[in-house]
Amino acid sequence: MRFETFRDAWGVPHVRAATEPDLAFGQGYVTARDRGWQLESDRWRAEGRLAARIGPGGLAWDRFAVQVRLADTARRVHAALAAPERAWLAAYTAGVNAGLADGGRDVPELDVLASGGAVPGELPPHTPWPDWAPLGVFLTNHVLFSGWPHLLWREHVARTLGPDHVLLGGADGEAGASSGSNAWALAGGRTASGAPLLAGDPHRLLELPGVYQQVRLACDEYDVVGLAFPGVPGVQHFGHATVRDGAPPDGPDGSVAWGITNAMAHHVELFTETADTLSGSAGEVTTGRETVPVRGAEDVEVAWTETPRGPLVADRHSLRWPARVDADLGVASWRRLLRSRTAGDVAEAFAGWVDPVNRVLTADSAGTVLSLTAGRVPDRAPAERVLPHAVVPGWRPRWRSLPGAVAVHDLAVDANDRPVPGGRVPDLGYAYAPHRARRIAALLATAPDDGERPGGQSRVFGDVSDGGAASLVSLLAGVRGSGVGPAAARLRDWAASGARMDAGSVDAALFVRWRDALARRVSAHPALAPVHAPTGLPALFDPWCDVVARVAGALEPLLRAGATWDPPQDPAAEAEAALAQVTRRAAVGPAGGASNVPVTWGDLHPVLPLHGLAEVTVLDPAGVPRVPDVHRVPVGGAADTVCCTGSVPGVATASWRGSVARWVWDLADRRRSRWGVPFGSSGDPRSPHFTDQHPQWAAVGTHEIETDWARLRPETWETR
């Protein structure tokens, strides 16, 4: 395989080859060298073999991976691929294996595990990646990404509190519906260049290394910059391609770009099985067992069961996942996207998309801007999206036909918002985010006189006004007394001036402490006691079933409903009592009671990324290796501000979710396109590019994409 790699000032790999197979090999090779730990740990998750490396801390995931048939699904999808896609995956996987062999596995995390200092017992020997492994990595990144775990929570609410309880949500603002992604498209009439502009930022768990990899892929057929999943070939979600037929590869030539947001669709279904259906009354049931090795402990036998609806993910719930139902992940559409030359080509490529269901914005340099929804969605009425489905004899599944692409002539904003009836995107879900889309549209309504430019999108990315805060603070309207009156007045003034969740804001910190105290008070009300009962679900689902966090996400409707509880709940009295509780803990005054420095939101809200080695602490906290250090910068924003930095309301204030990339695609000239990621382009803690983008990201900045090959640094790999 022949390929070249180049680096820009941020260490981003630019891979160039003559043919697509050589390019795929090069992408796999560079990714393995840059992200060796991430690739290996994601592969272990896909195989359900994490515990074999990190000990009992990985067992909960492995149980789930075996039961949901994760590796088996990846193998099925691979077996069903057409020859071109199989060859593409094979070339990429060969590159991964070569890169891992040539130094990609020589990273501190793997050295720590190999030493046995944190986990007793031998580390299993490394084996080459099979060709289906990239599909397993993609599935691992998305198996819990859809809304189906929320169905388990809502079933628990319906069982313990009743089928009409307000905690079932459904209206805007339901806990768990706020964090998603932002994207917007500006037609040429709104931009300084006269060509369209696309921008956005996906919101996911803040993982270290970052979940997306900045990359450029260039061969004789295409030249694409974008954000890739490490371990998966191509550029699926966010890309900007230039047309290379005789045009200067980096000049203001023909180009096309795309970006996605989560459609919040009910596309992965749960069924409630019964003793009869599990005995085969509604179709054949298959079972099996797998031995899961656990480093430093006895192996564990994990049983799995699969009904005609899908594999059991809990004692009585089967999962119907489109990727498994049809043995299809839409891999052909991944390849086709890379060859797109117009917005229409992108729309046609996404016609083969499967999972997850996304809203797509695409534009080209000819001025076309399109909006569409892509993915495979079961045909279910809104009332059928609330709870797991009962098994109905004779039921036959049907996929819903999605509408075609819609032209955008001015502005389109997608931010996981509830679709407007008869609008450009269909209503496919149950719970949506309430505020971000409206706020983005309002910010873009105040465009510069000469039109929007790529660098100007930072004012949107960085907006920290909390659209839901003012309504909650209005509960304090009557609080005037000398006790908590000054604090209530401060919060009212803060909300009236925009409810900005600035990192340096003392009032934002006061608001969060008050809101969280209020959530804890409401969750402790006797009327909600039944929902605190154990769910009976595996511990993996605990984050979706945290009662305090769920209450915090539905505070206002719960407070309104409290008038009918026994004893009745007075919203104003509860709000005042929570504020008194906070002020007694000196949230307004000295920090910790010993300092005169007031507590700011940034003090409470640092970035706290997730790292795979953190799970080792379950086994041996005293001997755990230090997780690679990052500068835990204080950040502004919150879960449903445009600048999404999600915490767990009522539970913890650190940011564990947020913008895992920011991108701006300029269809007039790709050289003016911009991007940025948290942390950096490298996954190796020893690299200067491990966290060099992190300060810029924390300041909501982006940088231009260098695409001039002459200005990039050529790289020579030392191979073994």
Side-chain angles (χ1 to χ4, degrees):
M1 295 289 184
R2 298 174 60 88
F3 67 95
E4 302 174 282
T5 61
F6 301 77
R7 301 279 179 172
D8 65 14
W10 301 93
V12 173
H14 295 238
V15 188
R16 186 168 67 182
T19 68
E20 183 181 65
D22 285 354
L23 181 61
F25 182 95
Q27 184 186 6
Y29 186 90
V30 167
T31 303
R33 294 295 298 263
D34 286 0
R35 302 289 188 100
W37 159 254
Q38 186 176 25
L39 262 61
E40 288 289 75
S41 58
D42 275 358
R43 177 200 174 180
W44 302 337
R45 290 179 182 275
E47 294 176 335
R49 294 296 181 265
L50 185 63
R53 278 81 180 181
I54 73 168
L59 187 54
W61 173 267
D62 286 352
R63 287 183 185 275
F64 170 72
V66 169
Q67 290 168 345
V68 81
R69 313 294 285 134
L70 199 58
D72 185 69
T73 302
R75 293 188 189 98
R76 286 190 184 187
V77 172
H78 183 265
L81 290 177
E85 284 67 51
R86 289 173 69 92
W88 186 53
L89 279 176
Y92 179 86
T93 304
V96 167
N97 284 323
L100 291 174
D102 286 347
R105 302 188 79 252
D106 298 335
V107 292
E109 296 94 336
L110 290 172
D111 289 344
V112 165
L113 289 180
S115 71
V119 188
E122 292 294 321
L123 189 67
H126 171 70
T127 57
W129 275 42
D131 287 351
W132 59 264
L135 304 176
V137 170
F138 189 86
L139 291 169
T140 297
N141 274 281
H142 295 97
V143 64
L144 292 172
F145 193 72
S146 70
W148 68 266
H150 297 292
L151 296 170
L152 294 170
W153 160 251
R154 291 198 290 267
E155 183 182 60
H156 177 63
V157 171
R159 184 171 61 248
T160 56
L161 298 177
D164 300 316
H165 199 275
V166 67
L167 263 181
L168 286 171
D172 288 345
E174 182 201 19
S178 59
S179 293
S181 302
N182 303 317
W184 56 97
L186 297 154
R190 280 180 169 258
T191 69
S193 69
L197 196 70
L198 301 181
D201 59 319
H203 306 161
R204 298 175 70 112
L205 297 182
L206 289 164
E207 300 178 31
L208 183 67
V211 68
Y212 280 113
Q213 173 196 31
Q214 297 157 296
V215 70
R216 181 187 186 182
L217 305 173
C219 64
D220 289 348
E221 295 182 80
Y222 50 80
D223 184 339
V224 183
V225 297
L227 297 160
F229 286 105
V232 183
V235 172
Q236 288 80 33
H237 289 166
F238 313 98
H240 191 175
T242 60
V243 175
R244 304 212 37 201
D245 277 351
D250 299 307
D253 51 27
S255 63
V256 63
W258 62 91
I260 61 95
T261 57
N262 192 323
M264 311 300 282
H266 176 84
H267 77 286
V268 178
E269 302 189 285
L270 278 176
F271 286 82
T272 302
E273 304 284 347
T274 66
D276 285 344
T277 62
L278 289 175
S279 66
S281 67
E284 182 181 359
V285 176
T286 58
T287 62
R289 304 182 72 85
E290 284 192 23
T291 299
V292 174
V294 183
R295 189 177 178 188
E298 294 293 325
D299 293 350
V300 174
E301 290 290 316
V302 177
W304 58 265
T305 299
E306 186 159 9
T307 76
R309 275 70 59 194
L312 291 190
V313 293
D315 287 345
R316 57 194 182 91
H317 292 104
S318 56
L319 186 78
R320 185 171 182 266
W321 193 8
R324 184 162 181 83
V325 170
D326 290 339
D328 187 5
L329 261 180
V331 178
S333 71
W334 303 355
R335 281 188 68 231
R336 191 170 180 179
L337 272 174
L338 299 171
R339 291 172 169 75
S340 297
R341 301 186 174 209
T342 67
D345 291 344
V346 170
E348 290 180 7
F350 270 110
W353 190 264
V354 176
D355 182 84
V357 181
N358 293 319
R359 300 182 192 176
V360 182
L361 293 174
T362 179
D364 59 38
S365 53
T368 300
V369 183
L370 299 176
S371 166
L372 61 135
T373 302
R376 202 160 292 169
V377 188
D379 190 6
R380 292 287 188 179
E384 296 179 290
R385 305 170 192 164
V386 184
L387 298 169
H389 305 299
V391 178
V392 177
W395 173 77
R396 293 289 181 269
R398 293 191 307 170
W399 298 121
R400 176 170 175 171
S401 296
L402 297 177
V406 176
V408 174
H409 301 291
D410 183 43
L411 169 69
V413 178
D414 288 331
N416 319 117
D417 47 305
R418 187 175 297 278
V420 176
R424 61 182 174 84
V425 295
D427 181 357
L428 303 173
Y430 177 71
Y432 295 90
H435 305 298
R436 283 182 282 110
R438 290 193 294 269
R439 181 61 179 171
I440 292 170
L443 291 166
L444 292 171
T446 58
D449 292 339
D450 60 347
E452 295 282 358
R453 300 177 185 273
Q457 304 314 294
S458 60
R459 79 182 193 282
V460 183
F461 288 131
D463 186 75
V464 294
S465 292
D466 190 325
S471 179
L472 193 63
V473 170
S474 67
L475 294 171
L476 299 170
V479 179
R480 308 286 179 182
S482 59
V484 296
R490 282 176 49 187
L491 286 178
R492 291 194 298 267
D493 290 345
W494 170 78
S497 62
R500 292 183 55 82
M501 302 296 295
D502 291 301
S505 172
V506 175
D507 294 334
L510 173 60
F511 167 75
V512 170
R513 286 181 158 181
W514 166 68
R515 181 204 61 197
D516 290 3
L518 183 56
R520 290 189 289 270
R521 287 184 62 88
V522 173
S523 68
H525 193 284
L528 296 182
V531 82
H532 287 271
T535 63
L537 298 169
L540 187 76
F541 300 108
D542 287 351
W544 285 270
C545 298
D546 188 292
V547 177
V548 175
R550 289 293 191 170
V551 167
L555 263 179
E556 289 189 71
L558 282 168
L559 286 165
R560 288 193 298 268
T564 64
W565 293 352
D566 183 18
Q569 175 181 258
D570 183 322
E574 290 293 330
E576 184 172 356
L579 188 57
Q581 181 180 339
V582 168
T583 54
R584 282 197 300 271
R585 291 202 301 263
V588 178
S595 168
N596 290 323
V597 179
V599 176
T600 67
W601 177 223
D603 294 332
L604 302 176
H605 195 53
V607 177
L608 188 64
L610 303 175
H611 189 280
L613 282 187
E615 292 168 290
V616 177
T617 60
V618 175
L619 177 69
D620 184 10
V624 166
R626 189 180 184 193
V627 171
D629 198 13
V630 295
H631 182 46
R632 291 185 177 178
V633 292
V635 290
D640 201 38
T641 60
V642 178
C643 180
C644 176
T645 55
S647 55
V648 186
V651 178
T653 59
S655 176
W656 58 277
R657 185 183 181 99
S659 297
V660 292
R662 296 188 179 99
W663 52 273
V664 186
W665 305 143
D666 185 345
L667 276 301
D669 187 344
R670 192 172 69 168
R671 293 171 299 184
R672 293 198 296 262
S673 291
R674 306 178 69 89
W675 59 6
V677 295
F679 317 119
S681 63
S682 174
D684 188 337
R686 301 164 300 187
S687 168
H689 302 300
F690 182 59
T691 59
D692 59 338
Q693 294 187 53
H694 201 49
Q696 174 186 267
W697 171 87
V700 204
T702 56
H703 58 269
E704 288 190 343
I705 302 174
E706 181 59 74
T707 57
D708 185 345
W709 296 104
R711 295 172 62 87
L712 299 170
R713 174 176 57 84
E715 187 167 41
T716 302
W717 294 105
E718 294 182 6
T719 60
R720 299 177 180 177

